[in-house]
């Protein structure tokens, strides 16, 4: 099959590189200039696994405006707040017979993709896979080859021949895909997972394993899971897991599969980028409000993350001012600060 990965960050590179390794033809489309230029300069992307065996993997990478390929399927991996703009930039090469597949975090992307792809051409899912982008053209796959798993479903909840071919290729790439016929339940399972682990690890600057090792972690996780499930049940979502199974999943991934991993929201916060909290915890709050239910813990965490973002932006501003200021002025400021 031929794939075009739109969004060549951590997850886009992981999916694209492994699908390429499995024998598929893969192109990469990205709008981040440092990333595109670095990969072109070095002739591909440097790939490590658990910080070891760093090697160069040749890839074809393009800016949206210059791409004219004709893949069977597009693989979308972007931040929720980046998707609308990227879709506009890519619109000129979309064709009616092509499929869109995505495992983006949070909720909000489905409605955007449906503006460009027919409902029967949309497949979405969730990826329990840890990956870190060290910098432009440099990605680190976390976990041994074959680590992690994923769920996916057709928007129509009616798998067709293409969907089964997609699942076959994802299996060859060792993503361990589980095809379901429960679209919203499949996507919301990851939203609930992320609303616990991503958010709490970000706020307390710790790995998933460090969070799960805390004596009160189960109680904290269960409170967030219960609120999220209360919201989903009110909106008619049939969840894939029971509440207990969801807690067990969080503990397994955090303690066994990826204990050393810092979630993507932490990576964004640490690198002074906006987080996707509005599309995760914030999404649950808004969904609950539709049914006069207030997910107060998720609301509190959403505000808390935004407050932390404000602090990080202030820190970034101060760093830039110090870099721009003459050395003597900076030293005087430090003396006054003492």
């Amino acid at each position: 099959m031929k794939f075009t990965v739109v969004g060549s960050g951590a997850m886009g590179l992981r999916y694209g590189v492994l699908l390429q390794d499995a024998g598929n033809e893969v192109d990469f489309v990205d709008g981040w200039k440092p990333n595109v230029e670095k990969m072109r300069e070095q002739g591909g992307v440097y790939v490590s696994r658990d910080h070891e065996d760093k090697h160069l993997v040749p890839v074809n990478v393009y800016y949206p405006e210059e791409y004219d390929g004709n893949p069977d399927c597009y693989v979308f991996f972007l931040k929720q707040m980046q998707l609308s703009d990227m879709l506009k930039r890519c619109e000129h090469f979309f064709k009616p017979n092509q499929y869109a597949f995505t495992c983006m975090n949070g909720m909000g992307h489905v409605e955007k993709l449906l503006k460009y792809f027919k409902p029967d051409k949309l497949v979405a899912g969730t990826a329990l896979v840890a990956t870190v982008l060290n910098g432009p053209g440099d990605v680190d796959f976390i976990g041994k080859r074959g680590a992690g798993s994923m769920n996916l479903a057709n928007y129509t909840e009616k798998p067709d021949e293409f969907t089964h071919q997609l699942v076959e290729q994802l299996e060859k790439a060792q993503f361990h895909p589980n095809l379901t016929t429960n679209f919203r339940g499949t996507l919301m399972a990851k939203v609930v997972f992320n609303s616990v682990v991503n958010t709490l690890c970000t706020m307390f600057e710790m790995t998933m394993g460090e969070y799960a090792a805390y004596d009160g972690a189960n109680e904290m996780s269960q409170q967030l899971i219960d609120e999220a499930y209360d919201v989903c049940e009110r909106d008619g979502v049939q969840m894939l897991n029971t509440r207990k199974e969801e807690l067990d999943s969080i503990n397994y991934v955090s303690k066994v599969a990826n204990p050393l991993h810092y979630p993507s929201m932490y990576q964004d916060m640490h690198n002074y980028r906006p987080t996707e909290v509005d599309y995760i915890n914030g999404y649950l709050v808004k969904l609950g409000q539709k049914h006069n239910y207030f997910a107060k813990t998720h609301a509190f965490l959403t505000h808390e993350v935004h407050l932390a973002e404000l602090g990080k932006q202030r820190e970034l501003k101060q760093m830039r001012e110090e870099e721009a200021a003459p050395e003597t002025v900076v030293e005087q400021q430090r003396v006054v600060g003492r």
Side-chain angles (χ1 to χ4, degrees):
M1 294 177 67
K2 181 169 183 178
F3 294 92
T4 297
V5 178
V6 180
S8 304
M11 291 296 290
L13 285 168
R14 182 160 187 159
Y15 267 72
V17 166
L18 293 182
L19 283 168
Q20 184 173 280
D21 286 349
N24 297 283
E25 185 179 348
V26 180
D27 290 333
F28 293 83
V29 172
D30 198 42
W32 185 31
K33 186 175 180 179
N35 201 33
V36 175
E37 295 303 319
K38 191 66 176 179
M39 285 193 277
R40 287 179 170 178
E41 173 191 326
Q42 60 197 23
V45 58
Y46 278 102
V47 177
S48 308
R49 189 174 289 278
D50 293 331
H51 318 303
E52 298 178 352
D53 188 31
K54 186 173 182 177
H55 61 284
L56 185 67
V57 176
V59 299
N60 299 317
V61 61
Y62 305 85
Y63 290 108
E65 290 74 16
E66 65 187 14
Y67 188 63
D68 63 356
N70 185 24
D72 302 302
C73 180
Y74 293 100
V75 181
F76 290 93
F77 271 110
L78 300 109
K79 298 296 182 182
Q80 289 281 352
M81 45 280 200
Q82 300 170 340
L83 182 60
S84 290
D85 179 64
M86 182 58 82
L87 286 169
K88 291 177 184 176
R89 295 176 66 180
C90 295
E91 182 179 9
H92 66 94
F93 55 72
F94 294 154
K95 297 176 179 63
N97 63 312
Q98 295 171 327
Y99 281 76
F101 166 63
T102 181
C103 287
M104 287 170 53
N105 278 342
M107 290 291 282
H109 54 307
V110 172
E111 294 79 5
K112 297 180 180 73
L113 288 167
L114 286 173
K115 294 179 181 179
Y116 298 86
F117 295 90
K118 297 176 182 178
D120 64 346
K121 301 295 185 184
L122 177 59
V123 182
T126 60
L128 294 173
V129 179
T131 309
V132 176
L133 190 67
N134 297 320
D138 186 350
V139 68
D140 196 350
F141 300 167
I142 306 302
K144 297 179 181 179
R145 187 171 182 86
S149 62
M150 60 172 296
N151 297 306
L152 69 160
N154 297 80
Y155 180 77
T156 61
E157 300 185 339
K158 297 177 181 178
D160 57 7
E161 182 180 351
F162 172 83
T163 308
H164 292 294
Q165 292 175 357
L166 173 63
V167 169
E168 181 181 348
Q169 297 308 315
L170 290 168
E171 187 61 57
K172 286 181 181 178
Q174 297 187 347
F175 285 107
H176 306 304
N178 172 43
L179 179 62
T180 83
T181 53
N182 178 353
F183 186 77
R184 292 188 70 207
T186 297
L187 269 60
M188 289 304 296
K190 184 67 180 296
V191 173
V192 175
F193 180 96
N194 284 341
S195 74
V196 178
V197 178
N198 268 30
T199 312
L200 292 176
C201 288
T202 299
M203 288 312 307
F204 296 99
E205 299 184 311
M206 58 179 57
T207 65
M208 294 165 65
E210 288 171 334
Y211 164 67
Y214 170 58
D215 288 342
N218 276 359
E219 184 178 345
M220 296 174 71
S221 297
Q222 193 67 64
Q223 181 171 334
L224 289 165
I225 290 169
D226 286 341
E227 275 193 8
Y229 270 57
D230 287 348
V231 168
C232 292
E233 288 168 3
R234 282 165 171 76
D235 202 56
V237 179
Q238 180 62 47
M239 301 300 288
L240 293 182
N241 297 331
T242 65
R243 299 181 187 216
K244 182 182 182 303
E245 287 170 343
E246 189 66 23
L247 178 61
D248 291 343
S249 175
I250 287 171
N251 280 329
Y252 175 80
V253 175
S254 300
K255 294 180 179 181
V256 180
N258 296 310
L260 302 179
H261 183 57
Y262 289 97
S264 59
M265 190 184 294
Y266 167 88
Q267 295 175 45
D268 287 335
M269 181 79 75
H270 182 71
N271 289 290
Y272 304 98
R273 297 188 297 256
T275 71
E276 294 179 287
V277 69
D278 286 335
Y279 303 92
I280 301 173
N281 301 82
Y283 177 82
L284 290 166
V285 174
K286 290 180 179 178
L287 191 60
Q289 289 171 342
K290 285 175 51 180
H291 305 282
N292 299 313
Y293 177 84
F294 183 42
K296 59 184 180 181
T297 314
H298 287 282
F300 180 85
L301 283 178
T302 303
H303 285 302
E304 194 172 33
V305 170
H306 283 314
L307 187 60
E309 287 176 326
L310 188 64
K312 293 295 284 187
Q313 288 306 307
R314 184 178 61 186
E315 179 183 321
L316 180 61
K317 180 181 178 182
Q318 183 177 348
M319 287 169 54
R320 287 173 173 170
E321 288 175 349
E322 290 184 356
E323 288 173 358
E327 185 175 341
T328 54
V329 174
V330 174
E331 183 58 32
Q332 289 173 0
Q333 291 173 342
R334 287 173 178 160
V335 171
V336 170
R338 296 192 190 109

